[in-house]
Amino acid sequence: MSEIKGKFFLLLAFSLAGTSVVTARMLAEKLNSFTITAVSLGLLLLCLLPVYANKTAKTIRLLKITDWRMLLLQALFGIFLFRIFLLFGVHLTSTVEAGILTGAAPAITALLAWTFLKEPLSGKTILGIACTIAGIALLQGLNLQGVGFSRDHFWGNALILCAAASESTFNVIARKQGAKGCSTRLPMQPMVQMLLVSAIAFVFCLFPALFEQPLPSIQAIGREEWAALVWYGLVVTALAFIFYYAGVQRCDAYTIAAFSGMMPLTSMLLSVSLFSERIGYVQWAGGILIISSMLLIGESQKPQEAKKCSLGLSRKNNKIF
């Protein structure tokens, strides 16, 4: 029963995370990238920080320099760089391709873990990485007819891959942090950790947002854009994080990797329904290859070791659901 709940939470988490690409596309038409990130995170902090003010203050007093360093890295790669690359990228490429390309994160994570953490690559992991490379090649226009696309389109896809690489770097940092016995140096509640990371990311983007002259553009947006900003902050960041953490407590690592395929799938389906974007055979083939790579990389992990790590984490942290 617990595992079924975990899979349900992961399904919700990655489905909500998949809406980030579509939300970014909607907001990028009216607001600049740093402004979007600053306002959405500001709304998150404004709504949730008063509720968890006491717990957050108690946690801050217990944090050491190494803990602050980890929080800074998580904010930099997990939120700030990921969102900035994503928001700049959706200006130049299609929402469908942007969503699919975010699915390259597990393959990039595996390569980074092999390079920096010296983790071995299994046959399925290597095959998954190869599928990711082939899928990206198809999405970059390398089809059988040799039809290419504009330079802006190419750089748009490159920026989306940078966003996926930022997420992968965040995953490797978290993995390195918990390498010894799958433990964590941050014994804090997930909501408190999310608020601290979001606050740091808010500070990162606040100064560059001022150069975008945000006030006139913010005053010009309508209800749809404000609803998208609230969704981007409270749902895509906060709620998806809660569901993700609840799923992590109940599922193995390979199950988590498998369900991460919901993120590009959700983004692709929403792009077709909301923006009437067309999906060609090449895009379908590239998307299938990238989603298949996530399944292969997820299955390549040893279930017993992953389960041991998951159970260890669940004992050290309070359950959310």
Side-chain angles (χ1 to χ4, degrees), residues 253-288:
Y254 69 94
T255 304
I256 298 168
F259 272 91
S260 66
M262 286 302 302
M263 184 173 177
L265 180 61
T266 302
S267 176
M268 184 171 61
L269 294 176
L270 287 176
S271 300
V272 173
S273 59
L274 295 179
F275 300 117
S276 299
E277 294 188 3
R278 296 182 179 180
I279 302 179
Y281 292 112
V282 174
Q283 288 176 312
W284 274 113
I288 291 172

Side-chain angles (χ1 to χ4, degrees), residues 238-253:
L239 189 58
F241 180 89
I242 294 174
F243 284 139
Y244 172 79
Y245 193 84
V248 166
Q249 291 182 340
R250 294 171 170 85
C251 295
D252 300 332

Side-chain angles (χ1 to χ4, degrees), residues 9-320:
F9 290 141
L10 289 177
L11 179 66
L12 292 175
F14 286 112
S15 297
L16 292 175
T19 66
S20 62
V21 177
V22 176
T23 308
R25 175 65 178 273
M26 294 174 60
L27 293 171
E29 297 177 355
K30 298 291 182 67
L31 298 172
N32 293 314
S33 300
F34 290 106
T35 301
I36 294 172
T37 307
V39 174
S40 61
L41 291 176
L43 290 172
L44 183 155
L45 296 172
L46 185 63
C47 294
L48 298 181
L49 191 56
V51 180
Y52 291 89
N54 292 333
K55 293 181 180 179
T56 303
K58 292 179 181 178
T59 301
I60 290 175
R61 288 194 291 267
L62 297 175
L63 293 178
K64 300 179 181 179
I65 296 178
T66 54
D67 298 327
W68 282 112
R69 188 183 299 119
M70 270 308 161
L71 289 172
L72 285 170
L73 290 174
Q74 290 174 19
L76 177 63
F77 290 101
I79 296 181
F80 178 73
L81 289 178
F82 174 79
R83 289 196 175 188
I84 295 304
F85 283 133
L86 178 65
L87 288 166
F88 277 108
V90 294
H91 278 291
L92 305 174
T93 189
S94 69
T95 313
V96 170
E97 292 184 31
I100 293 174
L101 287 170
T102 57
I108 300 175
T109 301
L111 288 174
L112 290 176
W114 175 67
T115 303
F116 296 102
L117 303 182
K118 308 302 180 183
E119 293 188 3
L121 292 178
S122 66
K124 287 185 178 181
T125 300
I126 295 174
L127 181 59
I129 293 172
C131 287
T132 298
I133 295 173
I136 293 172
L138 287 175
L139 292 178
Q140 290 291 73
L142 300 179
N143 54 38
L144 297 177
Q145 298 177 351
V147 179
F149 46 53
S150 67
R151 182 178 299 179
D152 286 344
H153 196 165
F154 173 84
W155 286 112
N157 284 0
L159 287 170
I160 300 301
L161 286 175
C162 287
S166 299
E167 180 184 353
S168 299
T169 304
F170 168 77
N171 292 334
V172 171
I173 291 171
R175 186 178 299 181
K176 184 177 181 180
Q177 177 187 359
K180 295 181 179 180
C182 299
S183 61
T184 176
R185 297 177 183 176
L186 296 171
M188 63 181 72
Q189 292 187 356
M191 282 296 296
V192 173
Q193 183 173 349
M194 183 273 297
L195 286 171
L196 290 174
V197 171
S198 298
I200 295 171
F202 174 75
V203 174
F204 282 159
C205 62
L206 184 60
F207 184 72
L210 296 177
F211 288 94
E212 296 177 339
Q213 297 180 346
L215 291 180
S217 58
I218 291 175
Q219 292 174 352
I221 63 176
R223 294 179 181 177
E224 292 183 359
E225 288 77 21
W226 276 111
L229 285 170
V230 173
W231 180 273
Y232 207 22
L234 294 180
V235 178
V236 174
T237 302
L239 189 58
F241 180 89
I242 294 174
F243 284 139
Y244 172 79
Y245 193 84
V248 166
Q249 291 182 340
R250 294 171 170 85
C251 295
D252 300 332
Y254 69 94
T255 304
I256 298 168
F259 272 91
S260 66
M262 286 302 302
M263 184 173 177
L265 180 61
T266 302
S267 176
M268 184 171 61
L269 294 176
L270 287 176
S271 300
V272 173
S273 59
L274 295 179
F275 300 117
S276 299
E277 294 188 3
R278 296 182 179 180
I279 302 179
Y281 292 112
V282 174
Q283 288 176 312
W284 274 113
I288 291 172
L289 283 172
I290 290 178
I291 293 175
S292 299
S293 74
M294 287 184 286
L295 296 175
L296 288 168
I297 293 171
E299 290 180 357
S300 67
Q301 299 198 27
K302 295 180 180 180
Q304 292 182 352
E305 294 181 2
K307 188 172 183 178
K308 184 187 297 183
C309 183
S310 177
L311 290 174
L313 286 173
S314 63
R315 292 191 190 104
K316 290 174 178 278
N317 298 281
N318 295 327
K319 290 186 177 181
I320 304 172

